Structure formats: structure tokens, C-alpha cells
Amino acid sequence: MESFLQQILQGLKLGGIYALIALGYTMVYGVLRLINFAHGDVFMLGAMLSIYFARWTGFGNQPSWLGLGATLLFAMAVCGAIGGVIERVAYRPLRNAPRLSLLIAAIGVSLLIENVGQLRQVFGPTPQPFPALIQTKTVAQWGSLTVSNVEILVLLVALGLMAGLHVFVHHTRFGLAMRAVAHDHQTAGLMGIPAGKVIFGTFVLGSALAGAAGVLWGLSYPVINPMTGFVPGIKAFVAAVLGGVGSIPGALLGGFLIGEAESLTAFYLSSTYKDAIAFVILILVLLARPTGLLGRKEVEKV
Amino acid sequence: MSALLEIQGVGMEFGGLKAVEGLDLEVAEGELVGLIGPNGAGKTTVFNVITGVYRPTRGRICFAGERIDGMAPHLISRRGIARTFQNIRLFKNLSALDNVVLGFNRSARQDVLGSMLLTAKHWRRQAGILKRSHELLDKLGLGLAEGRSSMELPYGEQRKLEIARALATQPRLLLLDEPAAGMNLAEKRELTGLIERLRREFNLTILVIEHDMKMVMSICPRIVVLDHGQKIAGGTPDEIQRHEQVIEAYLGEKAPSA
Amino acid sequence: MKVFWQNNMALLVVLLVVAAAGFGFQRHLDPYYYKILVDVGIAIILVVSLNLINGITGQFSLGHAGFMAVGAYASAALSVLAAGPWLNGLALGGAQKMVVEFVALGVIVIVGGVAAALAGFVVGMPALRLRGDYLAIATLGFGEIIRIVFQNTEQLGGARGISIPPPRSDFTGVYVCAVLCVAFIWRLVHSVKGKSFFAIREDEFAAATVGIDTTKYKVIAFVLGSFFAGVAGALFAHSATGYITPAQFDAVKSIELVVMVVLGGLGSISGSIIAAAALTLLPEILRGFAEYRLVVYSLLLVLVMLTRPQGLMGMKEIKLPWHRQPYQHKPVA
Ligand SMILES: Nc1ncnc2c1ncn2[C@@H]1O[C@H](COP(=O)(O)OP(=O)(O)OP(=O)(O)O)[C@@H](O)[C@H]1O
Ligand SMILES: [Mg+2]
């Protein structure tokens, strides 16, 4: 029983990170109908650049809340900027191109980030340790079930950011514009909403969340290399589709579902099947509900 | 003899919106019937339920004595119903010829092996269909356009090409959704002649949606009027023109602010 | 019969040339270049068959590597269990050996193709109800599941991989398959019925209203595409290295193939051939730049998309001069 709960806790932590990444996928898909393949790599950059930041500022040597907060903010700011640049340079010129071309451009950006990152002059191919920004402590214990402060922290930060996003999307003018563009590009344009700016802002926002997710990932799985983003990226995208791509609550639900499923599969079945379970669930759900758990059904008008 | 197309009590709802309600309509073999009504009256939706795009939420549709409501669109097409679209839906990147060839696809047998080995039999069949496609294009005056991709054609020719593609499926019933939309006077006049000619030559039964009253009145011996999803009138052009509800429906549309 | 020969003469000549070239290359070509040529041939099969699904029929599959894996492993199992020991037992030599191995390779390749086609059918039937990005992510998932299943099948070597006995897929074997794959797919999609594949991509709905059974054609495209992916997989498994691991068939491989299809031009078979050759050669050409080559590769990808989003060829085709038409129309003036 305790080991089951321990796995559930693991799953929550993992799921929170997936959900944060999934939000970026879902928001971008909402406004641009693009699977932003580079998103997982932005997440990786969040983790990787934080290592350098912590080294440079010295936060990595003495764990402190200040250091953690500063690193988190740094990662969000830098990733937000990177996301914005990617949108401007690689995606905007393709606004009217076939959607598949846009997708290939996204794949290209993803490969570019990974391959540049592997250069010796940049990060290099070898994994780098993520600094202990806070001291890992057991904060609660019931029998063999232990809860560490990192787990609590990751979950709280993830939930906090998601709550913030919810408020932002539902209670600001930008959020309203974003929803309008997601609902219908053309009409939004006709109503005077600057779709270009909204798309740009969405990329910045989504990438900032990915940056935060990068730091949280680093705290939990403290080895990072330039390829770190690929697998969590794909899984987070699966989470987004599972929940219903375009739906923010869907991303949450999907993220936590995948996190739990993985952690339980690794424990009860075999860790080699851990990577398959996300896809098995995805396929079963899509066959029953082709637009995901919370996705809107779209009827084609003829 | 019973009607070729029988629609009984058909209703179509989109999440609460009743696009068509309690529609009864019979079309006899060889008839040319006009379907008119203000914007949003549900005319296109009627076509969509006949051709199987939507399964009607109520009622039944029979074609040549067989129930077709709920059948898949391609099966309905094979029973002998063809249509054109209000917002032209050609195979844009394919040539005009290929669009018509695709209309003929039912006449060709799928012979995967034959097509891979290019056997003599397969080759002959291909030639036959290509020949018929060319002839059909010629008949509609599109002979010169055959090699061009269909999206490059002028608007009027695209509409005609859609008719050609529909005819290639060898239909008994042809549904035309605003075939004259966007055409100028001369083109409309040509189209009127064309519809008459094709009807005779191919023994067609035609149901046509059209906003141009003059055209409908001049070619259709019988007209059915829809408003808010319901049939409000049916009869000869003369009867329709004098029908009070019809006048109201159209006036109501023309002067919404009044 | 005369028409049949006229239609297939060119194909026969090409196949003979391939066989002769293979014979010459084996003796006189540097093994390094020989291997690259073989890789190009396998890539052509993969990309053209994926183009049938993604470009010509407009269904977005991201799981092609998975079907390649099925072909590779099915053929590997056949070779390890039956074909390899049997050939060994025959103890042939010289020309006899060559002929028997060539025929054995043919059987192995077909088995690989059929296994992948079956997998394609099982996956395609349910998955093709999904559209666009949903189909993409579902097929990506199927591909990954297939890979992970092989990774956990200890009888097939698990994650470590499995080594495969001869016969080896040489230049001749690979290019005979490539030529047949291109010719068959070309002929199919340019036949009257076969144009239905293009019609589905152009407007699935309009296609149904002219009587095309869209589901059937999508499944055919998927199954046939998977068949050739399986063929390529079998050839790959039996190539000179003679060793495969599940990791070679991961999502990255599938993505790479989609990239080639798009770069060549969605729906253009000649474009696919060019892209398959170019993108297989490019990393080799850039080998001099060692660690920069992947950077250059990905940069080129982005740049090509920004400057030519429709791909190299768009939907256009390069037609061979001896291309024949079943019917030539004489316009009535
Ligand atoms: N797929 C759909 N989903 C929801 N509502 C629909 C759908 N198709 C049609 N409608 C609605 O049904 C009503 C009837 O539409 P329809 O297209 O049949 O009208 P119409 O008579 O053809 O109009 P028009 O003359 O403008 O072509 C409209 O209010 C339309 O918005
Ligand atoms: Mg209409």
C-alpha cells in the first residue's frame, strides 16, 4: 500500500511537469494548429541554461530559496525569449504555407537546437549534473512512505503556474484575445484582434512555462544533456492530445494521467514498458474519443 | 409508378438548431424541380442529407424504392445520385481531365495487379475511360481546359467542370446547388441552355437550388420553397409568385431592419 | 500481349541495367561508396512508400519506422531460424550460390513486406478514422509501441539487437526492389481508379460524393505503404552490417522519413526519390565537417522550408521520355 502511494506521489510530480510542458503545446496548437516540435527542446534549454546560470551566480553551491526563485525566473524569461525568437524567425514566414511545411520547419528547429547543443563549444554531448538548488529533505513519513520537499515543491510550483495561467487566460485582455484567435482566426482578425501579436505572445507564454518545467525536471532528475527534451517533449504532447489538444484543463488532466500511468507501469510491470504506456493510453482514448478527453468535437461544414 | 426520390418527414438538427424540419418532397423521374428559399433556409442541408453527408435526425429518404438515409455517401453516389457544391469543391490540384476521370471511377474496375503490370486488358479499359472523359469535357465546352489544373480555371468553367464530374458518375438524379452563383448574364443564359440539353440527353431528373428567381422561374416547371427549415409552398412558378407566405418570407429577408 | 510488352519493355531494361551495374559495382566500387549506394536505394523505397500515404493520399503517418521494424524483424526471424541454416547446409559455391541467395533474398523480402502489411492493416483499420494531427500522433504511438515490443522480446535479441546470417542484400537486390516499388506505386496512382488516392488528399468529402470508398483507399494506401516499408526493413536487416537493434527504428527515424517526403514535395514521386538520395548523401558529403554536419543538416531543413515550403518538386513529376499514355485524344476542332 505504501509503495503504491509512493508511486502515486512520483506520478504526481512527473505529471505536474508533463502538464506544464503540455500547456505550451496545447496553447500553440490552439492558436496556430501546429505541433510545435521544438517545444521539448525549449524545455531542455530551460534546464540546461539554468545549470550555467546557477554556476555563474553561485546559487548552485549553496542551496537557498532565493537561488531557486532566481533560477526559476531566469529560466522562464530566457525560454520565453527563445520561444518568441523561434516564432518570429522560423514560423511567422510560413503563416500561409501548407501546414505540413510548418511542421517540418518545427522539426528542423528542434533538430537544430539539439545538434547545436551537442557541439563541444556549446553544451557538448555529455550529460551535465543539475545543481542542488535546494537541499533535499524528507518532510513527512508514514511507514515506508516518504515525502520529500522537492516533490512538494515541484507539485506546488507546477500547480501555482497553472493557476496563474488560468487567471491570465480568463481574466486579461490578452487571454481573451488568445481564446478568440484559438476559436476562429479569421473572425478574430476581422474584429480587430492582432492575431500576429497574439500568436507571438502565446509562444512566449508557453515557452516560459516550458522553462519552468525544465528547472523542475532538473530538480527531480538531475542529469541534463541536449537530447533530454525529446522524450518528455513527445510525452507531454501525447498528454496534450490525450486531454484534448487546445484545451487547457485537458493538458492538466492528460499530464497527470500520463505521469501516473508511467510511474505505476514502471513499478508494477517493467520500466522498459514505461515509455510505451503513454502511447497505449493515447491510442485507446483516441479510438473512443477522437478529439481527446476534453476536446471539442469539430463538425465539418459542407 | 412511384417517385424516384421520396423524402418523408425529414428533419435535421445541429445541436438544437433545426436546419430542416418535417420535410416532405417527392420528385418523379424526369422532373426538373427548383428548390428556393432565403439564406439559411436549409436548402443545402436538404442536399446534404440526400447525399449522405449527414444522417437525418428524423424521417426517411427513399431513392428508386430503396431507403438511403444513413447510407455512406459513396454508396448513395453509386445508387445514382450526384451533386455539385455551392462553394465549389473540385479536386483543386488535379487537372480538369482528372476531375472528370475521377467521376468515372465507378465504371473502372479496381484491378491492382493489372494496373501494376499494365496488362493489355487494363490498358484498354483505361483508354476507354479517358476517351469518355474527353468526350464529356468536349460536350460541356471544356475541351480546351482539360490539361489545366482545375483551380486555375475561370469561375464559370469551374462550375461547369463540377457538373461534368457529377455527370461522369452516370447519375439518375442530379442535385445542383446554386449552379449560376457568381456568373454573369451571358454565362447564366448558356447554363440554362446547358441544363436543358443535359437533362434531355442523359435522361436526368434534376433538383436545383438557385437564388436567381428569373432563372428558376424560367426553367423549373415546379418549385418548392423552404423557409426556416420548413416547406412553405410548392407549385408552378405562377402559383409560387402569388403565394402570400413566399412573398412574406422574401420580403422579410430583404427588409430586416424594417 | 503486344501492349503488355510495350508497356513493360522499359522496366525490364532498367532492371537488367540494375543487375549488370550491381555485378560491376560489387567488384570495382569502393565498399564505402557501395554501402552508401545501397543506403540510398533503401531510403528511396521508404520515402516513396511513405509518400503514397502522406503525400498522395494526404494521411499523415508518423510511424513508418515501426513498419520498417516489423519487416526487419520478421525477415530476421526467418533468416535466423530457417533460411540461414538451410543455405549454410547447402554449402554452395560460385554462380550457383549467387542465384540461390538472390532467390532466398527475394523470399525473405516478401515475407518482411507481408508481415509489415499485416501490421499496417491491423493499425490502419482503426487509426485511419482519425484525421490530421491526431492520426500523426497515433501512428507515432504505434511506431513506438512496436519498437518497445521488439525491445522487450528477448528471443529477438531485446534491446541489444540481433545479428542476421546471409543472404546479404546487395546493390542488385536493393535496386530491383526500389525500381519495382517506384514503378508499381507510380502505375497504381496514375491509373483511373488509383487517382482516387489523390482525390482523397484533395477533398475527401467530394471524393466520397463521386462514389469513391475513401476508407478503403486509405487502408489500401496504408497497407501498401507498410508493405514496402517492410521490404525496406528486410533489406536493411540483411545489409552488409547484418545487425539490427530496435533503437534504429525509433520515432526519430520516422520523422526523418517524413522530412524527406515533405522536402521532395508532397505527392511527387520523383521528388521523393531526389530527396531520399540527397538527404542520405548529404550527411556523408558533410562528413568532412564532422561535428557540424548535423547542424548544417538541420539548418538546411529550416532554410528549405522557409524558401520552398511546397518542397523541391511541389506536386510536379519528372516524366521519363518513354512514358506511355493509354489514350491520346484528338480534339474535335
Ligand atoms: N454542419 C452544420 N453545423 C451546424 N449548423 C449547420 C450545419 N450546416 C448547416 N447549418 C445551419 O443550418 C442552417 C441552414 O443552412 P443551409 O446551408 O442549409 O442554408 P441554405 O438554405 O443553403 O442557405 P444559403 O442560401 O445561404 O446557401 C443555417 O442556419 C446553418 O448555419
Ligand atoms: Mg446553401
Side-chain angles (χ1 to χ4, degrees), chain C residues 33-92:
Chain C
Y33 293 112
Y34 187 86
K35 181 186 172 298
I36 294 177
L37 274 183
V38 168
D39 288 349
V40 167
I42 293 176
I44 287 174
I45 302 175
L46 286 167
V47 179
V48 170
S49 60
L50 184 60
N51 196 355
L52 174 65
I53 302 172
N54 284 22
I56 294 171
T57 319
Q59 306 301 303
F60 186 2
S61 166
L62 257 177
H64 218 48
F67 300 108
M68 185 188 176
V70 171
Y73 272 95
S75 72
L78 179 65
S79 280
V80 171
L81 296 177
W86 178 72
L87 280 175
N88 223 356
L90 287 183
L92 299 169

Side-chain angles (χ1 to χ4, degrees), chain A residues 42-192:
Chain A
V42 173
F43 154 78
M44 176 277 292
L45 287 176
M48 192 61 111
L49 293 173
S50 295
I51 298 179
Y52 288 80
F53 177 75
R55 228 181 260 160
W56 178 67
T57 53
F59 288 136
N61 307 330
Q62 317 157 289
S64 71
W65 291 104
L66 173 70
L68 175 69
T71 311
L72 210 51
L73 282 182
F74 164 82
M76 290 179 72
V78 168
C79 287
I82 293 173
V85 170
I86 293 176
E87 196 274 331
R88 272 289 152 90
V89 176
Y91 301 159
R92 174 150 317 175
L94 288 170
R95 196 61 36 92
N96 295 318
R99 273 183 55 207
L100 215 46
S101 314
L102 191 59
L103 185 79
I104 301 298
I107 292 174
V109 172
S110 164
L111 290 176
L112 191 63
I113 295 176
E114 288 168 11
N115 291 321
V116 169
Q118 299 209 23
L119 292 179
R120 247 178 306 113
Q121 299 85 332
V122 187
F123 308 131
T126 40
Q128 303 195 32
F130 196 87
L133 290 169
I134 53 168
Q135 201 100 57
T136 309
K137 271 190 287 217
T138 301
V139 289
Q141 185 154 24
W142 294 278
S144 66
L145 172 70
T146 58
V147 182
S148 79
N149 57 347
V150 171
E151 279 156 349
I152 301 280
L153 178 86
V154 168
L155 210 54
L156 282 183
V157 173
L159 288 176
L161 285 172
M162 289 180 230
L165 180 73
H166 182 83
V167 173
F168 186 79
V169 169
H170 285 275
H171 299 280
T172 63
R173 280 179 62 89
F174 181 83
L176 183 67
M178 204 174 109
R179 282 184 293 149
V181 172
H183 189 72
D184 184 343
H185 244 260
Q186 257 139 17
T187 317
L190 290 178
M191 293 191 318

Side-chain angles (χ1 to χ4, degrees), chain B residues 120-255:
Chain B
K121 198 160 159 202
H122 170 79
W123 206 240
R124 252 195 331 275
R125 285 203 195 115
Q126 304 282 302
I129 284 174
L130 284 175
K131 183 154 175 275
R132 284 160 78 191
S133 305
H134 280 290
E135 285 165 1
L136 187 56
L137 279 172
D138 282 340
K139 203 166 279 169
L140 280 140
L142 292 168
L144 294 174
E146 60 185 39
R148 291 165 62 196
S149 81
S150 60
M151 68 181 164
E152 291 167 10
L153 299 182
Y155 196 73
E157 295 196 356
Q158 292 195 12
R159 288 233 173 261
K160 279 203 279 182
L161 183 57
E162 253 204 339
I163 297 179
R165 183 178 69 182
L167 287 176
T169 66
Q170 292 150 291
R172 291 171 73 184
L173 172 66
L174 179 62
L175 309 176
L176 300 172
D177 198 343
E178 306 198 14
M183 286 189 173
N184 62 32
L185 212 58
E187 285 175 321
K188 277 184 186 168
R189 202 167 298 140
E190 193 204 329
L191 181 74
T192 313
L194 184 72
I195 292 177
E196 275 301 335
R197 190 155 57 83
L198 295 176
R199 186 160 77 102
R200 258 177 283 123
E201 190 169 336
F202 292 93
N203 280 323
L204 288 172
T205 307
I206 296 179
L207 188 55
V208 54
I209 297 175
E210 186 48 65
H211 273 303
D212 184 329
M213 283 309 144
K214 241 172 87 190
M215 182 171 159
V216 181
M217 300 284 170
S218 71
I219 62 170
C220 300
R222 183 155 80 91
I223 293 171
V224 173
V225 190
L226 278 188
D227 189 26
H228 294 297
Q230 287 176 320
K231 179 163 135 184
I232 55 168
T236 63
D238 274 346
E239 286 166 2
I240 296 297
Q241 262 166 322
R242 276 180 278 115
H243 200 285
E244 233 170 76
Q245 254 182 300
V246 177
I247 298 169
E248 224 168 81
Y250 274 90
L251 283 181
E253 189 202 20
K254 277 196 184 122

Side-chain angles (χ1 to χ4, degrees), chain A residues 133-279:
Chain A
L133 290 169
I134 53 168
Q135 201 100 57
T136 309
K137 271 190 287 217
T138 301
V139 289
Q141 185 154 24
W142 294 278
S144 66
L145 172 70
T146 58
V147 182
S148 79
N149 57 347
V150 171
E151 279 156 349
I152 301 280
L153 178 86
V154 168
L155 210 54
L156 282 183
V157 173
L159 288 176
L161 285 172
M162 289 180 230
L165 180 73
H166 182 83
V167 173
F168 186 79
V169 169
H170 285 275
H171 299 280
T172 63
R173 280 179 62 89
F174 181 83
L176 183 67
M178 204 174 109
R179 282 184 293 149
V181 172
H183 189 72
D184 184 343
H185 244 260
Q186 257 139 17
T187 317
L190 290 178
M191 293 191 318
I193 295 171
K197 277 191 192 149
V198 172
I199 291 170
F200 179 78
T202 306
F203 266 89
V204 173
L205 197 59
S207 304
L209 293 178
V215 176
L216 299 183
W217 185 270
L219 290 176
S220 331
Y221 309 96
V223 219
I224 310 292
N225 71 45
M227 299 300 293
T228 297
F230 186 75
V231 173
I234 285 195
K235 293 214 187 115
F237 181 68
V238 167
V241 176
L242 183 65
V245 75
S247 148
I248 290 179
L252 283 194
L253 180 63
F256 282 114
L257 267 179
I258 300 257
E260 288 300 347
E262 255 184 32
S263 135
L264 292 175
T265 311
F267 188 72
Y268 287 102
L269 279 173
S270 120
S271 67
T272 45
Y273 277 114
K274 168 176 80 102
D275 290 335
I277 192 70
F279 294 113

